[in-house]
């Protein structure tokens, strides 16, 4: 610096120090500018969320549910709940009375779904215009007859009518292909929009199968309500090699599906591996990228998955949780009980017994808060009644149905 100054003319020396002073002043100015945090950061850590200040009331409606998975209202006060083991219960939300619903879905001599010892079993249930739509782990009977110790299965969807306390007139709508032995990552949620049924299917633990559009695992499918194929599915557009039911690929274990009553889009949630749980929008012909990427997650033994957490050639989720929360069902709140929550996304997190609220507006998350943490168990699913009270079930034995309302 001394050498540089000695070679300068007097006027240039003044200019030299003046420019340095301006630059130094500007740098100091930058250091004191308050930096506005990004609302939609790359990863989200639930440990940074604050506990809600809303005064909540958590009431036990009834007890006796064994590993509940899905739930749906059939009228204002009758809630149907599936158990992984195979039972379907009808619960009166006022009296707490439980009625066992008869059915013949994938029945065995024991009446228990054999996949319920793992992550499969009787899964989601949805009531729509007089029909019940149910997803479950279906035994591949052809394989079962040849080798009872080598049980294979597929995700299947049926529909039937609730007549009295029995489901009758069952119709098979869909069976995933191929049948697989691994008893994990089944998904599975079902929703209906514009008379199309969407269902989420997990990768069954096979990873890159989710990038194969000739196989159903690791995808979201779209079918007509009678099980036929919509003529405008991706297969009949620019995705000629895809199976006709497939709407989007690249999923690991999607356990949440919902329709926003505010933008009419379909949203999903899914489990990442070790980190990388996420939620986002369902997209026609889309690809979430599993297992080329893992949304910030790694293998359980610590090895990196993919070169980057996200890749521009894949659809990007709206939010990715690191560490994982075990995200399950999601749903947009609509009701009068918590009027200030209207339009916000409610998320379950079974890993830490979480119920989370995301203040979601114009595709941006403005606030995150914890409503419940480690109070009632591994929250699996919830339903919101006409008033706006929230009913919750947990993935545990002899568990309760809970009602969340305002104090």
């Amino acid at each position: 610096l001394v050498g540089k100054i000695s070679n300068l003319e007097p006027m240039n020396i003044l200019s030299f120090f003046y420019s340095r002073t301006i630059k130094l002043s500007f740098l100091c100015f930058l250091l004191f500018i308050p930096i506005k945090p990004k609302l939609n950061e790359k990863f989200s850590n639930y440990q940074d969320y604050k506990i809600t200040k809303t005064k909540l009331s958590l009431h036990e409606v009834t007890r006796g549910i064994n590993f509940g998975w899905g739930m749906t209202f059939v009228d204002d006060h009758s809630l149907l709940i599936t158990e992984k083991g195979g039972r379907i219960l009808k619960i009166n939300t006022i009296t707490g009375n439980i009625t066992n619903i008869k059915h013949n879905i994938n029945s065995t001599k024991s009446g228990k779904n054999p996949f319920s010892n793992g992550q499969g079993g009787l899964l989601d249930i949805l009531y729509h215009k007089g029909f019940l739509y149910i997803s479950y782990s279906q035994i591949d009977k052809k394989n079962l007859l040849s080798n009872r110790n080598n049980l294979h299965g597929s995700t299947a969807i049926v529909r039937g009518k609730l007549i009295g306390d029995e489901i009758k007139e069952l119709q098979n709508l869909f069976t995933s292909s191929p049948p697989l032995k691994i008893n994990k990552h089944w998904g599975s949620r079902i929703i209906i929009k514009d008379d199309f049924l969407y269902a989420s299917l997990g990768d069954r633990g096979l990873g890159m199968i989710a990038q194969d559009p000739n196989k159903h695992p690791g995808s979201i499918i779209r079918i007509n309500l009678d099980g036929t194929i919509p003529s405008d599915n991706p297969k009949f557009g620019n995705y000629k090699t895809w199976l006709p039911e497939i709407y989007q690929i690249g999923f690991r274990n999607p356990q949440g599906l919902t329709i926003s009553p505010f933008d009419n889009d379909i949203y999903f949630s899914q489990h990442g591996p070790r980190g990388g749980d996420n939620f986002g929008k369902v997209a026609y012909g889309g690809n979430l990228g599993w297992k080329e990427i893992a949304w910030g997650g790694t293998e359980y033994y610590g090895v990196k998955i993919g070169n980057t957490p996200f890749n521009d050639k894949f659809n990007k989720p709206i939010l990715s949780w690191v560490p994982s929360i075990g995200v399950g069902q999601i749903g947009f709140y609509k009701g009068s009980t918590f009027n200030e929550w209207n339009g916000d996304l409610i998320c379950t997190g079974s890993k830490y017994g979480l119920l989370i609220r995301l203040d979601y507006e114009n595709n941006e998350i403005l606030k995150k808060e914890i409503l419940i943490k480690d109070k009632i168990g591994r929250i699996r699913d919830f339903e919101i009644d006409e008033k706006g009270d929230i009913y919750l079930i947990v993935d545990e034995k002899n568990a309760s149905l809970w009602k969340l309302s305002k104090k």
Side-chain angles (χ1 to χ4, degrees), residues 221-275:
I221 64 156
R222 177 181 183 251
I223 58 176
N224 292 317
L225 298 187
D226 62 358
T228 57
I229 310 299
S231 60
D232 58 349
N233 267 9
K235 167 78 173 178
F236 309 108
N238 296 324
Y239 302 85
K240 305 296 184 184
T241 61
W242 286 28
L243 289 176
E245 300 90 351
I246 292 181
Y247 195 78
Q248 186 171 6
I249 65 172
F251 292 87
R252 183 176 181 269
N253 192 16
Q255 292 194 358
L257 276 180
T258 190
I259 303 168
S260 169
F262 303 96
D263 63 18
N264 205 37
D265 288 332
I266 300 172
Y267 290 73
F268 69 85
S269 66
Q270 67 169 329
H271 288 198
R274 187 182 178 188

Side-chain angles (χ1 to χ4, degrees), residues 169-226:
E169 302 178 28
L170 278 176
Q171 301 171 268
N172 185 67
L173 303 182
F174 169 81
T175 304
S176 66
S177 177
L180 298 168
K181 183 178 180 181
I182 301 173
N183 187 6
K184 65 179 182 179
H185 296 186
W186 294 85
S188 154
R189 293 292 173 192
I190 51 180
I191 60 164
I192 291 172
K193 178 188 174 186
D194 299 331
D195 288 330
F196 296 112
L197 183 146
Y198 297 77
S200 63
L201 311 178
D203 72 349
R204 299 293 298 281
L206 294 179
M208 285 302 292
I209 197 172
Q211 290 300 312
D212 186 351
N214 289 296
K215 297 181 175 66
H216 290 117
S219 74
I220 287 178
I221 64 156
R222 177 181 183 251
I223 58 176
N224 292 317
L225 298 187
D226 62 358

